[in-house]
Amino acid sequence: MAAPSVFLLAVTGEIESGEFPGFDDLYCKFSFVYGQDWVPTAGLEEGISQITSKSSASPTTLVWNFPIDITFKSTNPFGCECWGHCRVQPCCQSPSQCHFLAGPQIVVSVYGPDFFGHDVVRGYGAVHVPFVPGRHRRTIAMFVPESTSKLQQFTSWFTGRRPEFTDPKVVAQGEGREVTRVRSQGFVTISFNVMTKDMHKLGYDVGPVATQSSSLGPGSQGLHGF
C-alpha cells in the first residue's frame, strides 16, 4: 500500500451563541480562509445563519447553534499567516523556513438592524481551526471598524452606512490592519469537533493515534474517499 501524500482535517461543530450588549435580532455569516497548501474537499466554505433574538431565559445571549461542516486536505500544516503576501517576513519567500501552524481560519461577521432599520455590522472576528482531534470551544472577541472623525461618525449614523470591510476575509489577514481603527464589541462562541487522517503517518504528531482515528459521525463523510 502506497504511503499517503496528503493528510485530511475534518471539522464539524456550530457557531453556538453571541453576546452583544445593547443589540438584538442579529444574524451571523461565516467563511473559511486558508492558504495555498489547503484544499477543501467536502462541506461548505461559507454560510449565513437565521436571525435570533434574546429571550427571558437568556437575556444577554443570542443563540444561533448554526452548524459548520467542512473537510480540508493538505501536505503541510506550517506556513505564514499572510499567505505569501507579506513583504517583511522572510518565511514568505522561503516556505521551508516557516515553523508555526497556519491552517484554516473561520471568519465570523455579525449583522443586525440599527435605529433606522438598516442592516449594519455588529462585529468581526476570526479564529484558527484547531489541529488536535477532539472537541474544542473557542470564544472570539469581536470588533467593528470606526470612523476617523466625529463628523464621519455622525454622517455614517444618520445615513445608516457604518464603516465595514468590503470583504470580511481581510479580518484573517495582517496586511493593512495596522492602519485600521477598530473598537471591541461583543463575543461569539464556536465549538469544533476535529478529526484528522494520516497526519501521524506523515510525521505530524498532534495527538494520540487512537484519538485521530475516532469517528465523529456525519462530519467524517469527506474522509472516506481518500
Side-chain angles (χ1 to χ4, degrees), residues 183-213:
R183 170 172 51 88
S184 296
Q185 183 169 280
F187 298 89
V188 168
T189 300
I190 303 180
S191 62
F192 297 98
N193 300 311
V194 178
M195 178 178 175
T196 63
K197 180 182 179 183
D198 292 333
M199 287 194 75
H200 194 78
K201 293 179 181 179
L202 291 173
Y204 301 115
D205 187 6
V206 294
V209 178
T211 306
Q212 294 186 43
S213 60

Side-chain angles (χ1 to χ4, degrees), residues 4 7 16 61 89 98-99 108 159 178 186 197 205 216 221:
F7 64 84
E16 294 182 355
T61 305
Q89 296 291 340
C98 296
H99 299 296
V108 180
T159 60
E178 71 277 1
K197 180 182 179 183
D205 187 6
L216 296 177
Q221 193 172 23

Side-chain angles (χ1 to χ4, degrees), residues 89-109:
Q89 296 291 340
C91 62
C92 302
Q93 309 303 325
S94 178
S96 62
Q97 297 181 28
C98 296
H99 299 296
F100 56 91
L101 294 176
Q105 297 183 64
I106 182 170
V107 175
V108 180
S109 50

Side-chain angles (χ1 to χ4, degrees), residues 46-120:
E46 55 186 27
I48 181 171
S49 78
Q50 76 281 8
I51 298 174
T52 189
S53 303
K54 297 174 182 176
S55 66
S56 56
S58 56
T60 62
T61 305
L62 296 149
V63 179
W64 290 294
N65 289 333
F66 189 67
I68 54 176
D69 186 352
I70 193 168
T71 301
F72 292 95
K73 70 176 180 180
S74 180
T75 57
N76 182 17
F78 298 96
C80 181
E81 290 178 323
C82 62
W83 316 129
H85 300 297
C86 176
R87 294 178 293 274
V88 178
Q89 296 291 340
C91 62
C92 302
Q93 309 303 325
S94 178
S96 62
Q97 297 181 28
C98 296
H99 299 296
F100 56 91
L101 294 176
Q105 297 183 64
I106 182 170
V107 175
V108 180
S109 50
V110 178
Y111 300 85
D114 65 1
F115 180 78
F116 299 103
H118 303 120
D119 260 9
V120 296

